[in-house]
């Protein structure tokens, strides 16, 4: 990454916590410096603080911190959150358990649902009722409010979800006031999700309460010990949010790290002129994929750990397939890979930290696609010899040899990731043949060619420093504030348009004020306004732009379903998004050789002669197993590749944060911004590389 510096700049540090490594990118005075440190799953903040000290010194100079946190995600996935007590209307205590009565396993004789986050004994019903317009039918009982703190004394967090609080938060505010003496986080649905649909609003508010104590403890420590002058947290909607909002509404951080990756993929796709892409982020423990057709896809129907969350999320699909995914032989003799992972400790066998189970990383090291000498840009050597015994044992159980077993591990994990990419493309009616794969994360470059071929994609793009792209995405991500409110008004009612506009204006004014108070430049703010609308009697809505929303809905309905109705349209929920731009990191075409793959500046650019012939690119040879045969492949340092350089497979491109594998009959070309374009060879080979090793 070669930013074009233009004088003094405030230091900004982006930190992305992964299952195996914690990634840091520092932007300071127009230069980017990167660092990877081993993650500390038992205490993620330890790796973050150690990385900050290493990259900035102790004490650090003044800097701003943008962080992708996994604390909320892990608490939800591992079911290690707080004990939540739920306060709701009497008679509605079981909404969270009844749910939508759908069938998660359509063909299972006996379906399975994860247990609710709040046990039945921890749900408290109170009297009081509002109508759908917010009018009071029955007041809350003062005596019940006075008794609540004693009833909830064992709570570590409280969720308050009362009927129709989206129209009038008064009853929930009264409950919150009565609970101040408890001294625990209290989540109100009227603040977290002021929208109708009781189950989704209840589930989302409970998730917020469930993760709140852990997130508050983690971020408070980070605030005390990081030395940062300002902290922002990457949000699940693709925008950053202030740390105080992340503490109050941590549900917005449940896809914090993966969201940064999608933003980074979009940015590097834009710089290469690619706007239709599949983002493919393969790290140590999981793979995250998303589809971008000009703009990222958002959803409000996300699920994390089987729990629905109705907040704005980037539409990201995750599978348990990463470099650390463990290979095993099941009872039927079939080879399985994942979802279990070796994680950061002990990690793959080749790391030499006591790992004894073969992982995807070990398979690549054994096959030669991840040469032991180039890991982390050559800063650390992997132990290939240590793989031999456990790989042989696993191969013996499978009735094959080590080479075939290692290729089988790669093939199995490729199949899992192909299914994930098809979920977000083919299964949604999108033809992937018009798209490029943007591959990033420490392991993605080793699988990009195979997945591109399987899906029939245009090609694959490998951005600079791909193993750090999620952190890079956090640097460039906008600051975003989403506001919404259910209105339930029909266009046939007198003053409907005026009412919708009034609520939108109020949400926009509120959001703008909050953004300015958080330090945003008022002149740089942009606003999008939408209406979720439907025909009377329909159960679900289509989102349309707020301007002339009635006509826009008729057109959208005709496009989606092939017909339109005459008559009124119901505005269900109105939404406003206010954005301020993120950090600007401008790149200039590569001209001079980069001194190292981990630290670059505008004044130091890469150079390798003017020829595009690969024979003039410095490198050395290695053996790689391909389809059971050993072939000769060239290893090239990415820092030595100039714009226009063309590399023919089999070849390996090494750099600090990742390694990229170019198979036989494939080629790579470097564009002016330093990205690698990986695609099937467009012309017959004229060299002798790729012949089997005698």
């Amino acid at each position: 990454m070669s930013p074009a510096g233009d004088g003094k700049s405030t230091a900004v540090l982006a930190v992305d916590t992964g299952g195996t490594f914690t990634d840091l990118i520092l932007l300071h005075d127009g230069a980017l410096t990167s660092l990877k440190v081993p993650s500390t799953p038992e205490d993620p903040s330890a790796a973050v603080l150690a990385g900050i000290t290493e990259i900035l010194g102790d004490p650090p100079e003044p800097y701003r911190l943008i962080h992708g946190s996994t604390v909320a995600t892990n608490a939800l996935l591992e079911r290690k959150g707080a004990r939540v007590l739920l306060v709701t209307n009497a008679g509605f205590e079981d909404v969270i358990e009844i749910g939508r009565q759908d069938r998660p396993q359509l063909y299972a004789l006996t379906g399975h649902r994860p247990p609710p986050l709040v046990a039945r004994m921890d749900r408290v019903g109170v009297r009081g009722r509002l109508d759908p317009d917010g009018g009071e039918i029955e007041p809350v009982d003062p005596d019940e409010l006075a008794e609540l703190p004693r009833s909830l004394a064992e709570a570590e967090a409280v969720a308050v979800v009362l009927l129709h609080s989206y129209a009038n938060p008064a009853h929930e505010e009264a409950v919150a006031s009565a609970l101040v003496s408890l001294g625990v986080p209290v989540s109100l649905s009227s603040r977290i999700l002021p929208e109708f649909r009781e189950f989704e609003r209840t589930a989302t508010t409970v998730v917020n309460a469930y993760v709140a104590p852990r997130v508050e403890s983690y971020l408070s420590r980070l605030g005390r010990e990081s030395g940062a002058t300002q902290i922002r947290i990457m949000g699940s909607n693709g925008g950053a949010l202030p740390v105080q909002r992340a503490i109050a509404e941590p549900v917005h951080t449940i896809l914090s790290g993966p969201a940064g990756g999608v933003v980074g993929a979009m940015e590097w796709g834009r710089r290469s002129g690619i706007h239709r892409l599949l983002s493919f982020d393969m790290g140590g423990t999981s793979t995250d994929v998303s589809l971008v057709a000009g703009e990222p896809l958002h959803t409000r129907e996300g699920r994390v750990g089987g729990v629905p969350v109705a907040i704005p999320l980037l539409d990201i699909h995750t599978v348990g397939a990463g470099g650390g995914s463990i290979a095993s032989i099941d009872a039927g003799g079939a080879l399985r890979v994942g979802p279990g992972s070796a994680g950061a400790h002990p990690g793959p066998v080749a790391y030499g930290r006591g790992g004894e189970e073969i992982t995807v990383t070990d398979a690549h090291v054994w096959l030669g696609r991840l040469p032991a000498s180039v890991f982390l840009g050559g800063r650390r050597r992997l132990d290939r010899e240590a793989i031999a015994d456990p790989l042989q044992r696993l191969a013996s159980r499978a009735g094959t040899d080590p080479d075939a077993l290692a290729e089988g591990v790669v093939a199995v994990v490729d199949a899992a990731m192909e299914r994930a990419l098809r979920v977000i493309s083919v299964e949604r009616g999108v033809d992937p043949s018009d798209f490029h794969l943007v591959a990033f994360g420490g392991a993605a470059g080793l699988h990009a060619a195979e997945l591109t071929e399987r899906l029939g994609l245009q090609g694959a793009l490998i951005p600079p420093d791909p193993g750090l792209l999620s952190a890079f995405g956090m640097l460039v991500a906008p600051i975003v504030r989403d506001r919404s409110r259910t209105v339930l008004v029909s266009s046939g009612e007198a003053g409907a348009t005026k009412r919708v506009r009034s609520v939108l204006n109020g949400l926009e004014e509120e959001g703008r004020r909050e953004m300015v108070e958080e330090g945003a430049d008022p002149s740089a703010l942009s606003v999008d306004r939408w209406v979720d609308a439907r025909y009377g009697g329909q159960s679900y809505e289509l989102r349309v732009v707020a301007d002339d929303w009635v006509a826009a809905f008729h057109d959208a309905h005709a496009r989606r379903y092939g017909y339109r109705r005459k008559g009124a349209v119901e505005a269900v929920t109105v939404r406003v998004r206010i954005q301020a731009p993120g950090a600007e990191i401008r790149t200039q075409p590569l001209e001079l050789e980069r001194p190292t793959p981990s630290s670059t500046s505008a004044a130091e650019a890469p150079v390798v002669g003017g020829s595009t012939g690969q024979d003039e690119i410095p490198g050395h040879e290695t053996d790689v197993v391909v389809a059971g045969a050993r072939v000769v492949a060239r290893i090239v340092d990415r820092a030595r590749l100039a714009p226009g350089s063309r590399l023919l497979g089999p070849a390996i491109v090494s750099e600090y944060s990742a390694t990229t594998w170019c198979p036989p009959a494939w080629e790579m070309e470097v564009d002016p911004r330093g990205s690698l374009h990986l695609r099937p060879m467009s012309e017959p080979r004229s060299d002798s590389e790729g012949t089997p090793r005698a």
Side-chain angles (χ1 to χ4, degrees):
M1 302 175 184
S2 302
D6 53 2
K8 298 289 289 183
S9 64
T10 302
V12 184
L13 178 65
V15 181
D16 175 39
T17 300
T20 305
F21 285 99
T22 293
D23 303 331
L24 302 92
I25 291 186
L26 174 67
L27 171 64
H28 187 40
D29 288 340
L32 289 173
T33 304
S34 55
L35 175 69
K36 295 178 80 74
V37 297
S39 293
T40 49
E42 67 285 352
D43 179 11
S45 62
V48 174
L49 294 171
I52 290 172
T53 299
E54 186 171 344
I55 201 168
L56 282 168
D58 187 16
E61 61 180 291
Y63 76 102
R64 290 178 289 141
L65 176 63
I66 304 173
H67 183 29
S69 169
T70 59
V71 173
T73 315
N74 293 341
L76 195 54
L77 292 177
E78 297 169 4
R79 294 282 173 135
K80 293 181 179 178
R83 180 182 177 183
V84 177
L85 269 67
L86 171 64
V87 179
T88 188
N89 296 88
F92 288 80
E93 296 89 346
D94 295 329
V95 164
I96 191 173
E97 193 156 0
I98 295 171
R100 285 289 169 194
Q101 298 186 0
D102 57 346
R103 296 179 63 184
Q105 300 88 32
L106 187 59
Y107 298 107
L109 293 178
T110 303
H112 168 73
R113 294 177 185 272
L117 296 177
V118 182
R120 182 61 181 84
M121 61 182 293
D122 288 339
R123 306 171 205 159
V124 178
V126 296
R127 288 191 292 261
R129 186 68 63 86
L130 300 173
D131 65 25
D133 295 321
E136 187 172 76
I137 298 173
E138 177 186 5
V140 291
D141 187 336
D143 293 334
E144 276 191 329
L145 292 182
E147 184 67 18
L148 270 181
R150 193 168 67 85
S151 303
L152 306 179
E154 296 183 3
E156 296 174 336
V158 177
V160 182
V161 186
L162 301 180
L163 287 173
H164 310 304
S165 61
Y166 55 83
N168 181 355
H171 283 189
E172 287 194 355
E173 296 288 353
V175 171
S177 297
L179 298 178
V180 170
S181 61
L182 282 180
V184 300
V186 177
S187 299
L188 304 186
S189 73
S190 52
R191 299 178 188 173
I192 303 300
L193 191 69
E195 302 177 20
F196 87 140
R197 293 196 171 99
E198 297 308 312
F199 171 58
E200 286 77 8
R201 185 157 57 93
T202 302
T204 304
T205 306
V206 166
V207 167
N208 193 82
Y210 187 73
V211 302
R214 288 190 62 174
V215 171
E216 180 179 13
S217 174
Y218 174 79
L219 293 181
S220 297
R221 180 187 176 188
L222 209 60
R224 291 191 308 270
E225 301 182 26
S226 66
T229 58
Q230 181 189 72
I231 300 178
R232 292 191 182 276
I233 307 301
M234 190 67 192
S236 304
N237 61 357
L241 56 149
V243 66
Q244 290 306 320
R245 186 181 176 217
I247 290 174
E249 302 176 18
V251 67
H252 290 285
T253 70
I254 57 172
L255 290 180
S256 182
V262 175
V263 174
M266 287 175 52
E267 176 65 15
W268 277 103
R270 180 187 66 80
R271 296 178 183 201
S272 297
I274 296 172
H275 302 285
R276 295 170 69 81
L277 58 92
L278 299 176
S279 75
F280 167 50
D281 177 7
M282 183 179 180
T285 57
S286 63
T287 292
D288 304 304
V289 297
S290 187
L291 183 141
V292 176
E295 294 290 334
L297 297 184
H298 288 78
T299 181
R300 302 184 70 87
E301 299 177 3
R303 284 180 175 267
V304 178
V307 180
V309 282
I311 60 169
L313 301 169
L314 286 181
D315 198 354
I316 298 171
H317 182 61
T318 301
V319 292
S325 294
I326 296 170
S328 61
I329 306 298
D330 69 13
L335 176 62
R336 302 283 184 182
V337 181
S341 173
H345 301 287
V349 176
Y351 283 12
R353 294 178 181 159
E356 298 178 351
E357 297 179 287
I358 294 298
T359 66
V360 175
T361 294
D362 296 318
H364 282 298
V365 174
W366 183 261
L367 296 171
R369 302 173 188 183
L370 177 56
S373 61
V374 303
F375 188 61
L376 292 180
R379 298 184 181 189
R380 178 176 164 196
R381 186 176 182 86
L382 297 175
D383 188 352
R384 185 178 185 275
E385 290 72 24
I387 300 172
D389 287 344
L391 183 63
Q392 179 61 64
R393 288 194 296 270
L394 195 64
S396 297
R397 290 187 59 194
T400 187
D401 61 83
D403 285 358
L405 192 283
E407 288 200 281
V409 169
V410 174
V412 170
V413 80
D414 279 343
M417 295 184 294
E418 179 191 359
R419 286 195 298 272
L421 288 164
R422 290 186 180 277
V423 166
I424 55 107
S425 57
V426 177
E427 292 187 13
R428 300 181 186 180
V430 176
D431 182 358
S433 64
D434 288 337
F435 288 72
H436 283 76
L437 189 75
V438 178
F440 58 99
L446 295 168
H447 299 262
E450 176 67 24
L451 294 173
T452 297
E453 183 174 38
R454 288 185 178 212
L455 289 159
L457 302 173
Q458 293 282 313
L461 176 74
I462 318 294
D465 278 339
L468 295 149
L469 193 77
S470 291
F472 177 83
M474 294 169 194
L475 276 181
V476 300
I479 302 165
V480 176
R481 185 70 159 159
D482 283 308
R483 307 290 298 178
S484 64
R485 186 159 299 147
T486 291
V487 291
L488 294 174
V489 58
S490 171
S491 63
E493 299 175 15
T497 300
K498 182 178 180 181
R499 181 182 171 191
V500 168
R501 186 184 305 116
S502 174
V503 176
L504 283 166
N505 290 342
L507 293 176
E508 179 179 338
E509 180 181 348
E510 184 179 343
R512 282 182 178 273
R513 183 178 63 253
E514 291 173 350
M515 294 280 281
V516 172
E517 290 173 352
E518 292 161 4
D521 178 1
S523 64
L525 298 180
S526 62
V527 180
D528 294 301
R529 295 157 53 121
W530 301 285
V531 175
D532 291 358
R534 66 187 181 187
Y535 289 125
Q538 291 183 326
S539 298
Y540 293 94
E541 305 82 46
L542 292 177
R543 179 175 302 179
V544 297
V545 294
D547 295 337
D548 200 6
W549 56 273
V550 176
F553 174 78
H554 286 304
D555 293 341
H557 196 278
R559 287 193 303 271
R560 177 72 65 87
Y561 301 111
Y563 73 97
R564 66 180 71 208
R565 292 185 191 172
K566 294 181 180 179
V569 175
E570 185 178 22
V572 177
T573 301
V574 297
R575 306 186 187 280
V576 171
R577 171 170 292 173
I578 303 100
Q579 293 190 112
E584 182 181 2
I585 304 178
R586 293 177 293 137
T587 57
Q588 59 188 20
L590 304 180
E591 297 172 354
L592 303 172
E593 184 178 0
R594 287 174 285 187
T596 71
S598 62
S599 180
T600 61
S601 70
E604 302 165 316
V607 15
V608 176
S611 171
T612 60
Q614 76 169 14
D615 290 338
E616 298 185 19
I617 301 173
H620 58 282
E621 294 182 345
T622 188
D623 284 356
V624 179
V625 176
V626 178
R630 292 191 176 274
V631 301
V632 182
R634 168 174 285 185
I635 303 175
V636 176
D637 184 346
R638 186 165 181 171
R640 308 290 296 181
L641 295 175
S645 295
R646 183 171 168 227
L647 198 61
L648 306 180
I652 296 165
V653 174
S654 68
E655 56 186 306
Y656 173 66
S657 66
T659 301
T660 301
W661 162 239
C662 179
W666 284 69
E667 64 182 2
M668 282 188 287
E669 189 170 353
V670 185
D671 73 15
R673 302 290 176 178
S675 291
L676 299 177
H677 293 259
L678 180 64
R679 51 183 171 257
M681 199 172 295
S682 58
E683 57 190 55
R685 300 190 57 137
S686 59
D687 66 328
S688 61
E689 288 198 50
T691 56
R693 175 75 81 182

